[in-house]
């Protein structure tokens, strides 16, 4: 039996990972679950999954959580608790939202574990630091992001040649809820409209990122970090049906694609079962009803976040950390109704312009860059509110 630690277990990825584990019967043993603060949800999961340990990052709810749990389950609480449950299982699922997932990513890799990585922000913001941890014996990253899971599957067709046989990666994007709209038509969009994703069911942060195409921009950096392909050889194409999850074009002219229904339980099951295949399918494509698959170029004028991400990725070092931090602050401000949707990219651009350079050669350097960029972004958001 493969032991699994579900970090960020009460979020969108965590709850779907719990479903996958339960659908697979005896294949997996969930030894640990953890979240920031949702104690009732955590307790309900603990009753279902029967882990040995439950982690709570926020100290305050620890006493209440203990009362809700079945006897015999250990509780670890306080800052660092999620990283603490990221070392003692065969597979660590990192479903934490945002930059806060970095300690979990590093802990799992430094312990030489397989990391099922849904928390792309940690890899993007901490690229060089994560790469160093990834070199630990036994450590590996299997992406839990539909596009990168697709690329991972496509790359297996090149056998021992691996990425040396790759001409380019083609990352697909649904285009989000605002596909086809001009920049001026996007001035008045509401939070609810931005949260209404046409094909994917995801948490609020990533859904807003999808509406701005920043999610795709972050995924370009993620693909670069995961597969070591240069930015000139990573293309983005809009594919509204979300059936082709990405493609790899090889040097011989062959393009290999991975197709399935848009459902995150497939990438989760893939990462848990790798190098085997998951035995459970969550739906199948109805080819007779599918009709067509469309592809079109992204509109970089309406969705400048995609270009900003390429720029930060090409600059490398701490620039992606600045991009990511600015995005997290801008998205949170948009979700609170503090800034309009169009201002999200403006805030990020202004923050990125202020990035002073410097090397991402330590965790401290990455944390400091993240902190500085957040401060900068908050100042810009406040200025916008006043003006
Ligand atoms: Mg994705």
């Amino acid at each position: 039996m493969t032991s699994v630690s579900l970090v960020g277990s009460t979020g969108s990825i965590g709850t779907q990972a719990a479903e996958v584990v339960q659908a697979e019967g005896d294949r997996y043993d969930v030894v640990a679950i953890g979240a920031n603060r949702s104690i009732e949800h955590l307790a309900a999961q603990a009753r279902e999954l029967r882990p040995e340990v439950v982690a709570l990052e926020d100290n305050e709810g620890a006493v209440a959580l203990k009362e809700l749990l079945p006897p015999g389950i250990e509780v670890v609480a306080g800052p660092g608790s999620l990283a603490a449950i990221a070392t003692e299982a065969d597979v660590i699922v990192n479903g934490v939202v945002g930059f806060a997932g970095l300690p979990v990513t590093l802990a799992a890799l430094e312990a030489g574990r397989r990391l099922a990585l849904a928390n792309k922000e940690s890899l993007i913001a901490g690229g060089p630091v994560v790469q160093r941890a990834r070199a630990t014996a036994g450590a590996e990253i299997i992406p839990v992001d539909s596009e990168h899971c697709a690329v991972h599957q496509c790359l297996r067709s090149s056998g021992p040649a691996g990425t040396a046989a790759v001409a380019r990666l083609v990352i697909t994007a649904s285009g989000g809820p605002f596909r086809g709209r001009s920049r001026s038509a996007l001035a008045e969009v509401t939070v609810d409209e931005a949260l209404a994703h046409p094909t994917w069911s995801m948490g609020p942060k990533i859904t807003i990122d999808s509406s701005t195409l920043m999610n795709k921009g972050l995924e370009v950096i993620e693909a670069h970090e995961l597969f070591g392909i240069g930015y000139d050889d990573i293309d983005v194409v809009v594919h509204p049906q979300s059936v082709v999850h990405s493609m790899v074009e090889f040097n011989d002219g062959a393009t290999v694609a991975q197709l399935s229904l848009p459902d995150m339980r497939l990438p989760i099951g893939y990462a848990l079962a790798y190098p085997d295949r998951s035995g459970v399918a969550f739906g199948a494509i109805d080819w007779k009803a599918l009709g067509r698959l469309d592809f079109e170029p992204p509109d970089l004028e309406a969705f400048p976040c995609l270009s900003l991400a390429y720029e930060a990725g090409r600059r490398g070092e701490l620039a992606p950390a600045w991009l990511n931090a600015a995005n997290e602050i801008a998205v949170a401000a948009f979700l609170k109704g503090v800034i309009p949707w169009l201002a999200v990219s403006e805030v990020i651009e202004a923050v990125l312009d202020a990035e002073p350079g410097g090397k991402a050669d330590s965790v401290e350097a990455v944390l400091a860059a993240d902190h500085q960029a957040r401060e900068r972004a908050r100042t810009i958001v406040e200025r916008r509110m006043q003006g």
Side-chain angles (χ1 to χ4, degrees):
M1 226 184 328
T2 305
S3 61
V4 178
S5 177
L6 296 182
V7 189
S9 62
T10 58
S12 173
I13 291 293
T15 50
Q16 293 183 81
E19 280 178 48
V20 171
V21 164
Q22 290 191 302
E24 289 269 13
D26 289 339
R27 188 168 184 175
Y28 301 110
D29 177 23
V30 176
V31 292
I33 61 174
N36 278 320
R37 60 183 68 86
S38 326
I39 59 170
E40 268 153 36
H41 195 169
L42 265 179
Q45 286 186 320
R47 286 191 290 272
E48 289 267 318
L49 299 167
R50 295 280 161 173
E52 294 160 18
V53 185
V54 177
L56 187 68
E57 190 78 6
D58 180 3
N59 237 332
E60 269 180 33
V63 175
L65 174 64
K66 269 178 202 156
E67 281 169 14
L68 292 171
L69 288 180
I73 296 180
E74 187 193 339
V75 173
V76 288
S81 301
L82 293 180
I85 61 160
T87 59
E88 299 300 324
D90 298 323
V91 189
I92 318 298
V93 178
N94 185 354
V96 174
V97 177
F99 182 75
L102 180 63
V104 175
T105 289
L106 292 175
L109 294 175
E110 283 163 2
R113 302 299 180 182
R114 182 195 306 163
L115 175 64
L117 182 64
N119 177 266
K120 65 187 86 173
E121 292 90 342
S122 58
L123 180 61
I124 290 157
V129 173
V130 174
Q131 295 296 8
R132 214 185 302 151
R134 193 184 181 188
T136 307
E140 64 177 339
I141 302 177
I142 310 294
V144 179
D145 198 344
S146 59
E147 296 78 3
H148 307 77
C149 175
V151 169
H152 198 274
Q153 293 178 64
C154 297
L155 285 173
R156 291 169 85 173
S157 69
S158 64
T163 52
V166 171
R168 64 179 174 141
L169 306 183
V170 182
I171 307 292
T172 54
S174 69
F178 305 140
R179 181 178 64 89
R181 293 201 203 180
S182 66
R183 186 134 184 101
S184 59
L186 290 163
E188 304 292 328
V189 298
T190 65
V191 171
D192 285 344
E193 286 174 299
L195 284 174
H197 198 280
T199 52
W200 287 100
S201 163
M202 304 177 291
K205 196 264 176 181
I206 187 172
T207 305
I208 301 303
D209 285 349
S210 292
S211 79
T212 62
L213 286 200
M214 180 54 92
N215 183 51
K216 213 45 56 182
L218 295 174
E219 287 179 351
V220 167
I221 302 174
E222 182 186 9
H224 170 79
E225 292 292 338
L226 281 170
F227 306 114
I229 305 289
Y231 287 99
D232 291 345
D233 298 325
I234 304 175
D235 284 349
V236 170
V237 65
V238 172
H239 165 50
Q241 290 90 358
S242 299
V243 167
V244 175
H245 295 295
S246 278
M247 302 178 258
V248 177
E249 185 184 311
F250 291 98
N251 290 331
D252 64 359
T255 296
V256 176
Q258 186 261 321
L259 290 74
S260 54
L261 295 182
D263 191 316
M264 283 312 293
R265 290 171 296 184
L266 188 151
I268 293 165
Y270 177 85
L272 291 175
Y274 181 80
D276 291 334
R277 280 269 171 189
S278 177
V280 179
F282 295 92
I285 296 168
D286 180 347
W287 294 98
K288 289 174 189 134
L290 181 63
R292 54 191 279 178
L293 298 170
D294 296 296
F295 301 93
E296 63 194 43
D299 179 347
L300 298 177
E301 200 204 319
F303 304 99
C305 283
L306 182 55
S307 304
L308 291 171
Y310 266 99
E311 186 195 326
R314 286 194 165 101
R315 264 201 249 167
E317 294 295 343
L318 293 168
W322 277 67
L323 175 89
N324 179 66
N327 182 54
E328 288 189 20
I329 295 296
V331 168
F334 171 69
L335 280 169
K336 276 191 230 142
V338 168
I339 60 170
W341 185 90
L342 282 182
V344 171
S345 64
E346 292 164 11
V347 169
I348 298 163
E349 185 172 9
V351 172
L352 204 55
D353 280 346
E355 194 258 321
K359 293 248 173 244
D361 50 6
S362 66
V363 180
E364 293 71 28
V366 173
L367 292 173
D370 175 78
H371 181 78
Q372 266 183 297
R374 275 169 207 269
E375 289 294 300
R376 188 86 191 188
R378 282 193 196 100
T379 307
I380 293 166
V381 166
E382 273 159 31
R383 242 184 253 149
R384 280 199 63 107
M385 286 162 67
Q386 286 154 7

